[in-house]
Amino acid sequence: MTATHEPVEHVHGTEPAPASERVVIPVTGMTCAACQARVQRTLGKVAGVSDASVNLMMGNATVSYDPASTSPDALVDAIRATGYGAELPVADRSAFDEQEARDAAQQEEFTGLRRKAIVSGIVGVIAMVVSMPLMAATAHMAPGATTDPFMRWMMTSMTPALRSAAPWLYAISPVVLSYALLVLTLGVMAWAGRHFYVRAWAAFRHHSADMNTLIAVGTGAAFVYSVIATVAPGFFVRRGVPPDVYYEAVVIIIALILTGNAFEARAKRQTSSALRALAQLQPKTARVVRHDREIDVPVEDVHASDVVIVRPGERIPVDGEIVSGESAVDESMLTGESLPVKKTAGDRVIGGTINGTGAFRYRATTLGADSVLAQIVKLMRDAQGSRAPIQALADRVSSVFVPTVISLAIATFVVWFVAVHVGGATTGAATVRGFATAVAVLIIACPCAMGLAVPTAVMVATGKGAELGVLIKGGEALQRAGDIDTVVLDKTGTVTMGKPDVTDIVLAPDAPVTRDELLALAASLEKSSEHPLADAVVRRATEEGIATRTVAMFRSITGRGVSGMIDGTRVAIGNAALMADRRIDVAPLHADAERLSGAARGVMYVAVNDRLAGVLAVADPVRPTSRTAVARLRAMGLDVILLSGDTRRTAESIAREVGIDHVVAEVLPDGKVAEVERLQRDGHVVAMVGDGVNDAPALARADVGIAIGTGTDVAVEAADVALMRGDVTGVADAIRLSRRTMRTMKQNLFWALIYNVIGIPVAAGVLYPAFGLLLSPILASAAMAFSSVSVVSNSLRLRAFRPA
Amino acid sequence: MTTVDWVVIAAGVALIVWVLWFFFLAEQGAATAMAGTGGVQDVSVRVHGGYEPATIRVKAGVPVRLHFDRQETSSCSEEIVFPDFNVRRFLPAFQETVVEVTPPRAGTYEFTCGMSMLHGRLVAE
């Protein structure tokens, strides 16, 4: 990103400089030095602007301003007021703005297409009615031989009705009717179908061809043919061919294709609905405390460390850390977690989530593009834009598709011409037949369905994932995740909380203290210790509201434990060896200690005044959801492996608790990579699930790296999938969604390919010799319109995905 | 078969050959990126039914800033994709969108529209 906002240092003697930022705004329409001076003068007058310089050659304005009194948008408005164009650089826009711009464009596209489709559809019906008397007028010349079979059917079934309903239509001269149709068709082509021709021409100039080329060539050829038949009918009549016109076909083809495009535009819009919903989570304003007053400011103007006020039921505007107050926050839109999460002072809140019934104040931390929501939106946008390898096939076909179809259409014309001509028909009749089939080939061929097959599925699937709190970082990850057969779970921080906790407090039979007093003494002493388990004891005391006291004569005995004096009481905490040193009998609690250490807990004896007082057990607790998550993975036929740096005994105990049979214990961080590689060598497609802290290399090495979210950092680099909810349940969702998406992609590709593989030959008339079946260009256009809509609709079915 | 048939066949074959030559073989416009200030190579690309220029010569290992100026509303060109860099960006109509990529080594890096119908390439040297 090209950052154009940068702080500028102002030096005004020793006075503290006012906060200042600089922005570069591209200005358009300036042609002379006078223009430049005018823009510069205007900007200089804006309150809060300390310096403005406009560069005519570069076509931009560099403005230093005080962000407290003005904003880049206000500066843009000031420039526009002078009559020149200005726009903030696109690179500077946030993911939200880009999403909004895109939505607006898509909405506009849809409404425009719909209007054009409706109008040209009405005109098409009129054109069809008007052309019936025309066909009746020429039918005597070569009945049924040359006309479009669809129109022939229409004529035989509709003509009697029309004759009795509007006999006057048959009284009008065919010449007048032809010219009327010519004008009507030209109008539709120039208005509703204009973009087909303009774009086809633009593509042609670049030696490329797309869907528009096919439509433009197909309808253009039919139109030119009809114009000749209208202006110089004698040319046809002399050659024994009825001067048929195809105006109604041109109009109806345009109407049908526009209808298809409109549906496609709407469906395409729906594929990104999840992303749009995410972008809309971002509130526009925040209530902050400035100069002891509460004011509403746009979220862009919230600064880091501003204090933000959130009332009950409000959406939290930016990320931050609670300073005071407490509440329960609904984070379901980001994490998929349906229960509200309790938040109190010191907890982090995420912008875009909804506050429950409490009120609180919090300090803003990450803002703008760094905020969690912006990161998610950006990640999703990149993911939706990424390619799945399976698309390579569609791409290869797409890139040669249109020229190939044009060549096929030419070949179709030649074959039909020669076949009909050799069969004894006139040159004219042969031309007409060859012509109609060639146009049908051009119109039925549809490269769009192929181009949409994979990207729409990727878009819907990644969006659906985001709704479930599963961020899949792209099409490739999606495709690989669908093939996973082995899931490796890291133990610490993944299956377990990653944060040791006091699980048991057992008092000795004749303990000199109460349970709370025991915890208070232990916490007071452990506060000075650096042992990792000590932290768990202190935290537990804090959580229970037990105050710690001052320790005198603190001693740390390496490999044994700690001791000290608290209010005249001698306290020692440590292992059996420490107790033995002090001749303290641990026998009364021996059985408990054995039981606890057997269950993979760290055991600490506590002695008070040289008498055994109790035992504290500390363990990294298993996440309550881990067992269900593992069961779901195994039910899906996946091999689940627990990977741990702990001793075999600890690892196996955890594995038993969550229902995993396969344990790899005592591995070092590099050992994790080796284990993943070993599984891959055995032919497994491996997903590695970890917290991304010390297992990043293994995540990167695995076929799919899945990171357990910390709630604040979604962009774990090494991971292909990030789980917003801090547990393993999302893994099964990610894999199931990927499998289902792969099925959708394959269906889409199959239908898009088979549609063309069958449609083009049928339109070319391969079924004619055997069944006498020819496809009218009008039917061809209806088939084409349907094909892309069906592919997008199939992708949209992924929105109905439900986690098990 | 009469002369007319042979003429039609010959014309058809000639036309097919021309179509294939025109779309697949004919040379398209190329441009060399200007090395701008700060070691960034700036190139403007007009997007209108295709990319102009479609072939862009750049130096490998140096960031390339492509200014895509989309001068149409056709939805065909609404996205620009650089598969090698995992970039897919929406190009708002009648606006300039900047995409920055750095070709790591010499080679050809293709870019396409969202549906892989329009093609351009970065040739890093």
Side-chain angles (χ1 to χ4, degrees):
Chain A
M1 189 168 133
T2 53
T4 51
H5 288 284
E6 48 194 64
V8 181
E9 285 191 27
H10 281 245
V11 184
H12 296 292
T14 52
E15 273 176 55
S20 176
E21 281 183 18
R22 192 171 68 189
V23 63
V24 178
I25 305 170
V27 183
T28 53
M30 294 189 298
T31 50
C32 57
C35 314
Q36 177 193 352
R38 186 158 161 230
V39 174
Q40 191 161 322
R41 212 165 42 239
T42 311
L43 283 172
K45 281 189 213 148
V46 175
V49 170
S50 50
D51 181 48
S53 93
V54 177
N55 186 323
L56 178 63
M57 295 310 293
M58 300 285 290
N60 64 25
T62 308
V63 189
S64 299
Y65 64 98
D66 175 8
S69 20
T70 187
S71 69
D73 284 320
L75 297 172
V76 166
D77 290 342
I79 298 172
R80 286 193 185 148
T82 61
Y84 299 100
E87 189 87 50
L88 283 175
V90 176
D92 238 7
R93 295 179 170 199
S94 70
F96 303 116
D97 294 335
E98 187 173 321
Q99 186 57 36
E100 271 173 26
R102 192 184 181 128
D103 286 344
Q106 283 180 336
Q107 180 61 36
E108 202 176 314
E109 187 190 3
F110 170 67
T111 47
L113 283 170
R114 187 179 54 186
R115 193 173 54 236
K116 286 177 174 178
I118 291 171
V119 173
S120 48
I122 293 169
V123 174
V125 171
I126 296 171
M128 209 137 130
V129 170
V130 172
S131 39
M132 277 187 206
L134 270 183
M135 263 179 270
T138 57
H140 65 276
M141 284 189 63
T146 55
T147 46
D148 185 324
F150 176 70
M151 287 306 293
R152 199 164 66 226
W153 170 78
M154 286 291 289
M155 251 180 67
T156 46
S157 54
M158 302 287 288
T159 299
L162 187 65
R163 234 182 234 287
S164 59
W168 51 270
L169 203 56
Y170 286 80
I172 302 173
S173 144
V175 178
V176 175
L177 288 179
S178 293
Y179 274 98
L181 278 173
L182 193 162
V183 173
L184 213 52
T185 308
L186 197 60
V188 169
M189 288 170 80
W191 176 67
R194 186 169 180 273
H195 61 277
F196 295 134
Y197 307 101
V198 172
R199 290 170 194 174
W201 175 243
F204 181 79
R205 283 185 39 233
H206 292 97
H207 294 260
S208 64
D210 55 20
M211 177 200 82
N212 296 307
T213 312
L214 296 175
I215 298 165
V217 174
T219 57
F223 180 71
V224 169
Y225 180 94
S226 307
V227 170
I228 296 170
T230 305
V231 177
F235 179 80
F236 288 81
V237 177
R238 274 196 300 279
R239 285 162 180 77
V241 179
D244 277 331
V245 291
Y246 291 94
Y247 293 121
E248 80 293 339
V250 173
V251 177
I252 291 172
I253 287 168
I254 289 175
L256 282 172
I257 291 171
L258 285 171
T259 308
N261 287 356
F263 276 119
E264 185 186 315
R266 196 179 63 175
K268 255 163 67 184
R269 213 173 107 75
Q270 286 168 349
T271 59
S272 57
S273 62
L275 184 56
R276 192 159 42 245
L278 271 179
Q280 280 166 358
L281 291 177
Q282 176 64 59
K284 301 277 183 223
T285 62
R287 189 171 306 111
V288 299
V289 181
R290 294 251 172 96
H291 312 296
D292 295 329
R293 274 180 37 226
E294 293 180 19
I295 51 167
D296 282 348
V297 297
V299 281
E300 303 86 62
D301 294 345
V302 176
H303 300 301
S305 82
D306 265 346
V307 171
V308 184
I309 297 167
V310 183
R311 295 194 188 136
E314 278 184 341
R315 210 175 265 287
I316 295 167
V318 298
D319 298 350
E321 207 176 287
I322 298 187
V323 179
S324 64
E326 58 177 44
S327 185
V329 175
D330 176 5
E331 296 186 336
S332 60
M333 59 296 287
L334 295 184
T335 64
E337 172 61 61
S338 53
L339 294 173
V341 185
K342 276 189 75 138
K343 302 273 181 183
T344 168
D347 284 342
R348 300 189 57 110
V349 290
I350 305 173
T353 56
I354 298 173
N355 181 25
T357 48
F360 57 86
R361 290 177 170 226
Y362 72 97
R363 196 173 300 283
T365 51
T366 45
L367 296 163
D370 299 326
S371 71
V372 173
L373 186 58
Q375 283 185 55
I376 294 177
V377 170
K378 182 175 182 313
L379 207 101
M380 287 331 295
R381 207 189 53 202
D382 291 350
Q384 300 207 325
S386 67
R387 300 155 79 80
I390 194 173
Q391 199 178 338
L393 167 73
D395 283 350
R396 263 204 303 282
V397 177
S398 293
S399 58
V400 299
F401 189 84
V402 176
T404 308
V405 168
I406 294 175
S407 304
L408 280 175
I410 297 168
T412 303
F413 176 87
V414 171
V415 170
W416 273 102
F417 179 89
V418 173
V420 174
H421 195 234
V422 170
T426 60
T427 320
T431 309
V432 170
R433 175 52 63 80
F435 191 74
T437 43
V439 169
V441 167
L442 288 174
I443 296 295
I444 202 166
C446 179
C448 289
M450 219 133 38
L452 292 168
V454 175
T456 52
V458 170
M459 287 183 81
V460 179
T462 49
K464 186 72 210 177
E467 266 174 38
L468 300 171
V470 176
L471 303 181
I472 301 169
K473 294 192 187 166
E476 202 178 336
L478 204 53
Q479 181 165 349
R480 280 201 312 256
D483 295 332
I484 288 169
D485 60 10
T486 305
V487 178
V488 179
L489 300 174
D490 186 39
K491 195 210 81 174
T492 308
T494 303
V495 173
T496 66
M497 299 279 199
K499 215 171 173 188
D501 192 16
V502 175
T503 54
D504 302 83
I505 301 174
V506 184
L507 283 179
D510 53 349
V513 289
T514 62
R515 175 196 173 279
D516 286 3
E517 177 65 7
L518 181 77
L519 185 57
L521 292 174
S524 305
L525 199 53
E526 293 286 26
K527 215 171 171 180
S528 312
S529 168
E530 282 163 6
H531 196 271
L533 297 184
D535 191 42
V537 178
V538 178
R539 191 151 19 82
R540 168 55 76 90
T542 315
E543 275 168 19
E544 293 192 9
I546 293 171
T548 54
R549 305 205 286 266
T550 323
V551 178
M553 295 164 61
F554 177 81
R555 267 184 73 206
S556 172
I557 307 117
T558 309
R560 300 264 149 105
V562 289
S563 68
M565 292 287 287
I566 301 166
D567 299 339
T569 311
R570 270 194 312 280
V571 184
I573 307 175
N575 53 17
L578 180 76
M579 298 296 135
D581 286 352
R582 302 184 168 226
R583 299 181 202 293
I584 297 165
D585 183 16
V586 296
L589 290 174
H590 184 71
D592 287 295
E594 276 297 299
R595 173 178 57 83
L596 292 168
S597 55
R601 287 160 170 68
V603 176
M604 294 183 271
Y605 291 100
V606 185
V608 177
N609 286 334
D610 294 333
R611 269 180 63 198
L612 184 65
V615 159
L616 295 178
V618 174
D620 182 5
V622 168
R623 293 181 192 276
T625 49
S626 292
R627 195 180 167 83
T628 341
V630 169
R632 280 180 60 198
L633 290 172
R634 296 189 60 171
M636 287 162 64
L638 296 161
D639 189 12
V640 183
I641 297 171
L642 184 74
L643 200 60
S644 171
D646 289 329
T647 59
R648 173 149 292 276
R649 187 163 138 174
T650 307
E652 277 178 351
S653 149
I654 298 282
R656 255 195 315 279
E657 200 174 332
V658 296
I660 300 176
D661 311 328
H662 195 156
V663 179
V664 181
E666 291 162 27
V667 279
L668 300 168
D670 354 334
K672 294 181 182 177
V673 175
E675 182 59 25
V676 168
E677 282 172 344
R678 191 185 64 74
L679 288 162
Q680 287 172 328
R681 266 198 308 279
D682 291 348
H684 293 291
V685 182
V686 182
M688 171 78 204
V689 188
D691 58 8
V693 179
N694 57 13
D695 43 22
L699 291 183
R701 186 68 194 86
D703 295 286
V704 180
I706 302 178
I708 299 264
T710 54
T712 47
D713 186 19
V714 295
V716 178
E717 277 292 325
D720 303 299
V721 178
L723 304 177
M724 290 301 292
R725 233 172 324 157
D727 62 27
V728 195
T729 48
V731 177
D733 293 341
I735 297 174
R736 277 187 59 236
L737 180 62
S738 302
R739 285 180 177 178
R740 170 118 186 245
T741 308
M742 283 313 295
R743 265 207 308 280
T744 303
M745 287 181 190
K746 285 177 186 162
Q747 286 163 358
N748 284 352
L749 283 175
F750 174 79
W751 283 116
L753 269 173
I754 210 74
Y755 162 80
N756 283 297
V757 165
I758 292 177
I760 293 174
V762 169
V766 290
L767 295 182
Y768 186 77
F771 304 101
L773 184 69
L774 265 184
L775 213 53
S776 132
I778 291 179
L779 286 182
S781 68
M784 173 192 170
F786 175 72
S787 74
S788 11
V789 174
S790 64
V791 161
V792 183
S793 306
N794 193 36
S795 294
L796 284 175
R797 291 196 312 135
L798 283 170
R799 290 201 299 182
F801 175 84
R802 292 271 171 277
Chain B
M1 295 251 265
T2 62
T3 326
V4 179
D5 297 322
W6 289 113
V7 169
V8 168
I9 291 169
V13 170
L15 203 53
I16 290 172
V17 169
W18 180 80
V19 164
L20 298 180
W21 169 83
F22 183 83
F23 287 112
F24 294 138
L25 299 173
E27 188 61 41
Q28 302 187 30
T32 304
M34 302 168 293
T37 49
V40 179
Q41 312 177 75
D42 278 293
V43 196
S44 292
V45 181
R46 189 166 168 268
V47 183
H48 188 237
Y51 304 108
E52 212 175 276
T55 303
I56 299 157
R57 294 185 196 289
V58 296
K59 266 216 283 295
V62 181
V64 182
R65 204 151 48 199
L66 294 145
H67 303 254
F68 285 98
D69 185 15
R70 179 162 164 240
Q71 287 301 324
E72 62 180 345
T73 52
S74 165
S75 63
C76 287
S77 61
E78 73 184 9
E79 284 181 322
I80 184 84
V81 181
F82 285 80
D84 300 314
F85 302 97
N86 232 338
V87 168
R88 180 181 286 244
R89 289 291 297 276
F90 175 66
L91 305 179
F94 305 108
Q95 278 183 32
E96 195 179 285
T97 306
V98 179
V99 174
E100 195 171 312
V101 295
T102 307
R105 61 189 79 83
T108 300
Y109 302 89
E110 210 190 347
F111 56 91
T112 69
C113 68
M115 285 192 192
S116 192
M117 301 289 294
L118 312 176
H119 298 262
R121 53 206 183 115
L122 278 183
V123 181
E125 281 150 1

